[in-house]
């Protein structure tokens, strides 16, 4: 069974290779579901590791419906990943109604070639998985990373099996989300050929800081934080 480890740092990627994992999905900021890693991280992994690594192309946290400018950023990042020797691309775009944005996702798939393309867990938000999976197969997407539209892949196992049956070999269903040592065999026994997990451990590096740097407001998936033009203008007027 192929094991893919989601790594959000060079140390995590290095540890995964040393452990004998088959493939890495490289990203940053797992706390928000992952975003595109930095140029430096991609290059370091490319130069130092030998196992295949796929790169997440997601320009920000929050939803998966992107502006034209964000779409251009995604395309630039894919071109960069190809130049840096990445093994594949993980990405995807939704419409405002959570259906797959077929036109723009197809453009990302074509731009990624000859690298394989994985549609990520935005799939777990689509209203019609049957239609969405057929669309991905038609686009030539190689895998879909999904928890079966549940909080964890274990809870979504029945749906994952249905997707596996529907795929009929046309696309690989990659279960991911809360897969652990305790439940991994469940997916192997269910006939899945690959799994996606992080298998992280949390090492305390400092004592509790006097001033927290995390902002709870930025962890709300229903909102996107952005600079407010009016507030900035007001501040500039105030200071001047």
């Amino acid at each position: 069974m192929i094991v893919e480890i989601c790594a959000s740092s060079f140390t995590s990627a290095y540890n995964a290779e040393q452990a004998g994992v088959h493939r890495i999905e490289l990203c940053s900021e797992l706390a928000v579901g992952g975003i595109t890693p930095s140029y430096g991280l991609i290059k370091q992994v490319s130069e130092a590791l030998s196992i295949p690594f796929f790169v997440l192309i997601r320009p920000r946290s929050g939803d998966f419906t992107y502006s034209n400018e964000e779409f251009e950023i995604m395309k630039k990042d894919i071109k960069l990943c190809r130049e840096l020797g990445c093994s594949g691309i993980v990405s995807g775009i939704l419409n405002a109604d959570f259906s797959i944005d077929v036109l723009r996702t197809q453009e990302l798939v074509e731009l990624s070639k000859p690298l394989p393309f994985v549609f990520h867990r935005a799939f777990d938000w689509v209203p019609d998985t049957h239609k969405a999976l057929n669309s991905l197969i038609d686009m030539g997407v190689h895998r879909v990373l999904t928890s079966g539209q549940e909080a964890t892949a274990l809870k979504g196992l029945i749906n994952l099996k249905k997707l596996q049956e529907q795929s009929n070999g046309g696309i690989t269903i990659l279960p991911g989300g809360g897969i652990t040592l305790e439940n991994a065999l469940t997916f192997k026994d269910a006939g899945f050929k690959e799994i996606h997990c992080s298998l992280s451990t949390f090492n305390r590096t400092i004592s509790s800081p006097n001033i927290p740097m995390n902002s709870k407001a930025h962890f709300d998936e229903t909102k996107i934080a952005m600079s407010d033009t009016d507030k900035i203008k007001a501040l500039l007027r105030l200071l001047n």
Side-chain angles (χ1 to χ4, degrees), residues 33-91:
I35 57 174
T36 304
S38 71
Y39 169 91
L41 177 54
I42 297 171
K43 187 170 179 60
Q44 182 75 6
V45 168
S46 178
E47 292 175 348
L49 304 186
S50 59
I51 61 174
F53 73 100
F54 285 50
V55 177
L56 176 64
I57 304 298
R58 185 186 180 204
R60 55 160 173 76
S61 60
D63 62 30
F64 303 98
T65 304
Y66 302 115
S67 67
N68 290 333
E69 292 78 13
E70 288 170 330
F71 184 48
E72 290 302 315
I73 291 170
M74 296 171 77
K75 291 191 289 184
K76 288 181 173 65
D77 281 336
I78 288 176
K79 291 178 181 178
L80 181 63
C81 287
R82 289 174 53 193
E83 294 170 2
L84 290 175
C86 301
S87 307
I89 299 299
V90 183
S91 193

Side-chain angles (χ1 to χ4, degrees), residues 125-210:
W125 283 11
V126 301
D128 186 337
T129 57
H130 186 87
K131 179 180 178 181
L133 192 64
N134 285 337
S135 294
L136 296 180
I137 293 172
D138 291 342
M139 284 185 231
V141 171
H142 293 76
R143 296 185 196 90
V144 55
L145 172 61
T146 172
S147 62
Q149 296 206 311
E150 295 288 350
T152 67
L154 191 61
K155 290 182 178 179
L157 186 57
I158 292 176
N159 291 332
L160 287 168
K161 289 180 179 178
K162 291 178 180 177
L163 291 169
Q164 179 92 309
E165 183 177 355
Q166 181 191 339
S167 69
N168 195 29
I171 191 172
T172 299
I173 304 301
L174 177 58
I179 295 181
T180 65
L181 287 170
E182 290 73 25
N183 61 35
L185 279 177
T186 302
F187 299 92
K188 185 174 184 178
D189 293 341
F192 293 97
K193 303 300 182 183
E194 307 182 7
I195 53 173
H196 169 100
C197 44
S198 65
L199 298 183
S200 299
T201 188
F202 295 88
N203 299 318
R204 183 177 296 278
T205 58
I206 59 173
S207 59
S208 298
N210 293 329

